[in-house]
Amino acid sequence: MRYLLWVVSTALLAVLAPLVRAETGFANLERGPHSVGFRLVQQYDYSRSYRETTDAVTGQPFTGERARPLQTLIWYPAASSAGKRLPYADYIRTEATDDNYGRSKSEVDAYVAGRLKSAGADIGEAQARARFAQPMWAVRDAAPLAGKYPVVIYAPGGGSPAHEAADVGEYLASHGYVVIVSRNLGARTRQMVFDREGAEAQARDIGFLISYAHTLPFADTAHIATAGWSWGGMTGLFAAAADNRISAVISLDGTREPELTKTLPVSRLTVPWLYVSRKLATISDLNQRGVETSFSLLNAARHTQLYQVVMQPMVHVDFSPAALRFMPPSHFGDYTREEVEQAYYWTARYMLAFVDAYLKNDAAGLAFVQRSPTQNGAPRHMALYEPRTADTRPVATQAGFAAELFKRGFDQVVPIYTQLHDGDKSFVLSETDLNGWGYELLRSNKEAAGVEIFKLGVALYPKDSNLHDSLAEGYEALGNKPAAIASYQKSLELDPKNGHAADRLKILK
């Protein structure tokens, strides 16, 4: 009888299991198999200054710590869910100290009270209080789950707090990721200045957080992605162009800064890129808002495997749950709040599948991002899907050039260089670049390859005496005495004061 009851109950559970919904959070995001831990770390990047000796806002002399404050929020898979879960208000509390760690509890309480009052004016006091009190998934300082997990560095939008990433941070952590974020700070003040210096400041913040990730025993720093909204979605690309340890990039309606994105070395953008953007705008609308349409980084970065998803119900600010939570009814024009949150849900689903594909090498994740939202079960007409395959031709960088030479042979150095330069006029190797490269090859006992690099040098810069001298040394290393003599003579002809060439000719002759 007991066995029969066990069989019946097991069968019943199997039938009911698909009907049991996973725990959900904002926008009905489904918690993954892991509990979530949260840490708040108040630290400085001592390699950079932030405060001026005279405060840039008040004009008063500043006597405190002037290093760059990077208050860091970390979500990670936890060993268990035991402990008190954070209310959403605790994330808002972190905003009060994001660049001033010395604020008292009463000052922080007053800050949160002000934020609550502002939210109440937008959505009603009762609704605002309920959202501030909403239990989140994370438990502060929970013990990490054993193992190492891929890292996602999140960069908030311009002037946005770190807790902008709270919902997606918890979501990704519950699915086996470490998510690290700090506030979007300006180069010298709390507010971002939208210029090159501001972009580079946040890109360096991303680099600092990557370095910090190496101190976390549960972080798998061999697998790193950046993600970000708006300005942060753009600066993640600046970081990826500078740091090839970043394996993938997610931009949430970012990169609409053509004057800045034009300066990106697109030949260094070779990692997969998920770009989720707001609803489409007409050319006339873009022109009225002064948005330049003659350049698009999406088109220029041809070496990236691009997945572009356009979320029709969403406007720019909707990609920040910290803002979307408290939007008044008047914000939702052609679409309802439910439809916009549903679009955010699918945005997060694509983010998870994308990092699964490129940080965990997960076939199901790759299949997901290769399908359209409708094919994945999203409502029809909610989103547009525009993938683009990466251009697999050689990348116009020295590393890409070297890789192609390794594959096709260094004796093809001139045609390969010509091909790369014709495809990207910004790809130029100077006399110094080529001279140093050739000697590196000689020192590595790759004399024949070194000679080919020097030959490219004299082909590009025929009047450079030093390159002819270096080519002669390469020929000497190969034991080609006649060619060495000819190159030394050419060097001496171009620069009669070249004592090294004169001395070597005496010896060789």
Side-chain angles (χ1 to χ4, degrees):
M1 184 66 178
R2 287 182 179 178
Y3 177 75
L4 180 62
L5 288 173
W6 177 82
V7 170
V8 172
S9 62
T10 302
L12 185 61
L13 286 173
V15 171
L16 293 177
L19 303 177
V20 178
R21 288 182 57 85
E23 182 182 358
T24 59
F26 177 76
N28 289 318
L29 290 176
E30 296 150 337
R31 199 183 91 175
H34 304 304
S35 300
V36 179
F38 170 74
R39 290 182 185 176
L40 175 68
V41 178
Q42 294 181 327
Q43 58 184 331
Y44 293 94
D45 180 355
Y46 289 104
S47 71
R48 293 184 281 167
S49 64
Y50 173 67
R51 303 283 188 186
E52 303 283 6
T53 53
T54 300
D55 190 282
V57 176
T58 67
Q60 297 175 326
F62 186 81
T63 57
E65 176 59 66
R66 295 204 301 276
R68 187 170 180 83
L70 287 176
Q71 179 172 269
T72 306
L73 280 61
I74 310 117
W75 292 272
Y76 55 90
S80 77
S81 58
K84 183 182 178 182
R85 293 190 181 185
L86 294 171
Y88 186 74
D90 276 12
Y91 287 138
I92 294 177
R93 291 183 72 83
T94 66
E95 185 179 344
T97 57
D98 51 21
D99 78 335
N100 183 352
Y101 303 157
R103 281 189 164 180
S104 66
K105 181 180 182 302
S106 60
E107 289 175 315
V108 174
D109 289 344
Y111 183 91
V112 175
R115 288 294 309 276
L116 178 61
K117 182 178 180 181
S118 175
D122 288 331
I123 61 173
E125 183 179 350
Q127 184 78 285
R129 287 189 179 280
R131 293 187 181 177
F132 270 54
Q134 174 193 345
M136 302 295 284
W137 296 340
V139 174
R140 186 187 289 269
D141 298 324
L145 185 65
K148 286 181 174 288
Y149 304 93
V151 176
V152 178
I153 307 293
Y154 187 98
S160 295
H163 69 77
E164 172 193 298
D167 296 286
V168 75
E170 291 191 344
Y171 178 63
L172 292 177
S174 76
H175 287 274
Y177 291 89
V178 178
V179 181
I180 307 175
V181 58
S182 64
R183 183 189 174 88
N184 179 297
L185 291 173
R188 295 179 181 83
T189 64
R190 194 168 186 263
Q191 291 304 313
M192 172 58 66
V193 178
F194 298 99
D195 58 12
R196 178 75 189 207
E197 185 180 35
E200 289 175 347
Q202 192 176 31
R204 288 188 66 183
D205 290 348
I206 292 170
F208 176 87
L209 296 179
I210 290 174
S211 178
Y212 172 70
H214 282 264
T215 70
L216 300 173
F218 48 82
D220 174 11
T221 51
H223 299 92
I224 299 173
T226 66
W229 167 55
S230 188
W231 185 259
M234 178 191 72
T235 55
L237 292 159
F238 274 86
D243 190 339
N244 60 22
R245 294 172 300 174
I246 296 171
S247 303
V249 176
I250 299 171
S251 298
L252 303 179
D253 210 36
T255 78
R256 298 195 183 201
E257 299 284 345
E259 290 307 311
L260 286 172
T261 53
K262 277 181 182 178
T263 68
L264 270 167
V266 291
S267 58
R268 294 192 176 277
L269 291 176
T270 59
V271 297
W273 182 14
L274 172 64
Y275 188 89
V276 189
S277 64
R278 72 184 98 172
K279 64 182 179 181
L280 297 176
T282 63
I283 293 295
S284 60
D285 178 53
L286 293 172
N287 289 339
Q288 287 175 8
R289 292 191 279 118
V291 178
E292 183 185 334
T293 57
S294 62
F295 173 81
S296 168
L297 184 62
L298 293 165
N299 295 329
R302 58 187 177 87
H303 287 291
T304 66
Q305 171 62 55
L306 176 67
Y307 302 97
Q308 184 176 9
V309 182
V310 180
M311 290 295 177
Q312 291 290 66
M314 301 180 79
V315 297
H316 184 61
V317 73
D318 294 337
F319 289 94
S320 169
L324 182 56
R325 254 187 179 83
F326 302 106
M327 283 297 173
S330 59
H331 171 75
F332 304 95
D334 297 334
Y335 296 91
T336 65
R337 173 183 286 279
E338 290 70 28
E339 288 172 318
V340 174
E341 289 189 5
Q342 187 178 46
Y344 185 84
Y345 166 85
W346 284 100
T347 297
R349 285 285 306 275
Y350 266 88
M351 293 174 71
L352 174 61
F354 180 73
V355 290
D356 279 349
Y358 290 103
L359 297 190
K360 293 183 177 180
N361 197 29
D362 179 66
L366 182 61
F368 189 100
V369 295
Q370 289 177 339
R371 295 192 297 262
S372 71
T374 303
Q375 290 171 324
N376 283 321
R380 293 179 63 82
H381 313 301
M382 185 192 75
L384 303 176
Y385 176 65
E386 298 181 5
R388 188 200 64 210
T389 303
D391 185 340
T392 57
R393 288 177 293 180
V395 179
T397 63
Q398 183 173 328
F401 185 21
E404 195 66 10
L405 290 171
F406 178 78
K407 181 167 64 176
R408 291 165 55 183
F410 275 77
D411 59 336
Q412 298 295 306
V413 65
V414 173
I416 294 173
Y417 179 84
T418 302
Q419 175 191 355
L420 293 179
H421 178 69
D422 288 348
D424 184 350
K425 296 298 184 184
S426 67
F427 176 61
V428 176
L429 293 175
S430 69
E431 300 96 315
T432 303
D433 293 333
L434 292 165
N435 199 57
W437 188 358
Y439 276 115
E440 285 291 325
L441 288 167
L442 293 187
R443 282 191 287 271
S444 301
N445 298 318
K446 296 180 176 8
E447 294 85 356
V451 165
E452 295 299 333
I453 295 297
F454 290 136
K455 285 165 70 174
L456 174 63
V458 299
L460 295 176
Y461 306 100
K463 295 184 178 181
D464 189 292
S465 169
N466 187 51
L467 280 171
H468 284 280
D469 186 275
S470 300
L471 176 58
E473 285 197 61
Y475 281 134
E476 276 200 82
L478 283 178
N480 189 339
K481 185 176 176 181
I485 290 173
S487 290
Y488 279 131
Q489 286 176 333
K490 182 64 177 178
S491 175
L492 201 57
E493 177 187 321
L494 291 168
D495 180 11
K497 296 181 180 180
N498 185 348
H500 178 261
D503 291 341
R504 295 307 302 164
L505 282 171
K506 289 177 184 178
I507 294 170
L508 291 172
K509 289 184 176 181

